[in-house]
Amino acid sequence: MRSRNQFIISTAVFGLVILIIASSVIVTNQQLAQIEKQQQISGNIESGSDKLNTLSSQYFLYQQTQQLTLWNSNSASILGNISNLSPNNFEQKTLVNNISDDLARLNSSFINLVSFLETAPRDVSVRVLPEFQNDWNLTVTAHQTFGLDAFKLSDYLRTQADQLRQTNLVLVIALSGVFGAFFLLSYLITYRRTLKTISDLQKGIKIIGSGNLDYSIQTKKEDEIAELSKAFNQMATDLKTVTA
């Protein structure tokens, strides 16, 4: 095979492999950027859960309108974050649905707790009333479930991000390896073989030039240099004929 054709074929093959790996790296980076954005939203939901827990305790202690206003504001912010999540598989979608249901239950139990505290008699300690204990336990349970599901979502997204980073690293290493293999193969097959063939050609030319017209330059491969070798062999034969 001609060196030019061999170089074109090897370049095309390696170029295709490099293109595929590079495209995979780009897609992986895009997926990673999307997962990291989802992680940030999930972290906001987690912190919002902690704020709601604090506000419910403060309202139980002080029963101020300020706590109710902050509760509604934080609850609406969490709901907005949940709507901004974009689950890309069934498991992630299930976690997002669980968080949405948990928030609805938490809001419902907290509203019941607020209603009870606003209508409870002032001359009785509400802590000992079974109705209050039931509403409070439901609110605490809803808080725990909501916080746990928010953590599960964050942990799931964190695991996905780590897997994508590992995949991206493997692809980058593979891309570097393909580049290295291409240059090494180009040196071994094209450059080194060409140099050796040229060296053999120069040696044969010197022998023929010294007057040994019976010498024939050996050609092992069909390439451009082999054509030159055949031309010099033919030239030596022609000179031998003319001399005779």
Side-chain angles (χ1 to χ4, degrees):
M1 182 183 294
R2 289 175 172 268
S3 299
R4 180 169 174 263
N5 294 338
Q6 191 173 30
F7 178 76
I8 292 174
I9 292 174
S10 61
T11 302
V13 171
F14 276 102
L16 179 61
V17 173
I18 290 172
L19 180 62
I20 293 173
I21 297 177
S23 300
S24 300
V25 171
I26 293 173
V27 171
T28 304
N29 282 331
Q30 291 175 344
Q31 292 176 342
L32 181 59
Q34 184 179 7
I35 290 296
E36 287 176 344
K37 183 179 179 181
Q38 299 296 301
Q39 272 188 291
Q40 184 178 2
I41 296 175
S42 178
N44 293 336
I45 294 175
E46 273 195 283
S47 61
S49 173
D50 295 335
K51 290 179 182 178
L52 291 182
N53 190 21
T54 302
L55 288 171
S56 63
S57 299
Q58 289 177 347
Y59 182 79
F60 170 69
L61 294 174
Y62 306 111
Q63 298 179 27
Q64 295 176 346
T65 306
Q66 180 182 2
Q67 280 85 37
L68 290 178
T69 303
L70 290 174
W71 173 280
N72 292 329
S73 175
N74 280 276
S75 178
S77 177
I78 293 173
L79 187 61
N81 283 319
I82 294 174
S83 64
N84 289 330
L85 289 171
S86 302
N88 53 18
N89 56 49
F90 177 77
E91 186 174 358
Q92 189 176 343
K93 186 176 181 180
T94 300
L95 290 171
V96 173
N97 290 336
N98 289 342
I99 290 175
S100 182
D101 294 341
D102 293 340
L103 180 62
R105 282 192 294 268
L106 178 59
N107 281 325
S108 177
S109 61
F110 181 72
I111 290 172
N112 292 335
L113 182 65
V114 171
S115 299
F116 181 83
L117 290 175
E118 288 178 347
T119 58
R122 300 298 177 181
D123 56 346
V124 178
S125 176
V126 295
R127 295 184 181 182
V128 299
L129 296 177
E131 296 86 351
F132 171 79
Q133 292 179 356
N134 181 64
D135 289 339
W136 179 255
N137 289 334
L138 289 175
T139 303
V140 171
T141 302
H143 270 303
Q144 292 174 345
T145 305
F146 180 55
L148 179 61
D149 286 337
F151 171 78
K152 287 180 179 179
L153 178 62
S154 294
D155 185 64
Y156 179 80
L157 292 172
R158 192 180 304 111
T159 301
Q160 271 194 323
D162 290 340
Q163 290 175 347
L164 286 173
R165 290 189 186 96
Q166 186 176 2
T167 301
N168 197 30
L169 178 61
V170 171
L171 289 173
V172 170
I173 293 174
L175 186 61
S176 302
V178 170
F179 269 113
F182 172 72
F183 288 116
L184 180 61
L185 193 63
S186 296
Y187 171 75
L188 292 177
I189 293 181
T190 305
Y191 182 71
R192 187 176 178 182
R193 192 190 70 179
T194 302
L195 283 181
K196 186 178 185 306
T197 309
I198 291 176
S199 177
D200 294 339
L201 177 61
Q202 288 176 335
K203 179 181 177 182
I205 292 174
K206 287 182 180 180
I207 294 175
I208 294 174
S210 65
N212 186 1
L213 300 179
D214 293 324
Y215 183 79
S216 177
I217 303 173
Q218 299 298 320
T219 57
K220 298 179 180 179
K221 297 182 181 296
E222 294 297 328
D223 54 14
E224 293 84 350
I225 299 178
E227 292 177 357
L228 286 175
S229 299
K230 291 177 181 179
F232 274 104
N233 290 337
Q234 184 62 44
M235 181 187 67
T237 302
D238 294 342
L239 286 174
K240 182 179 179 182
T241 302
V242 171
T243 301

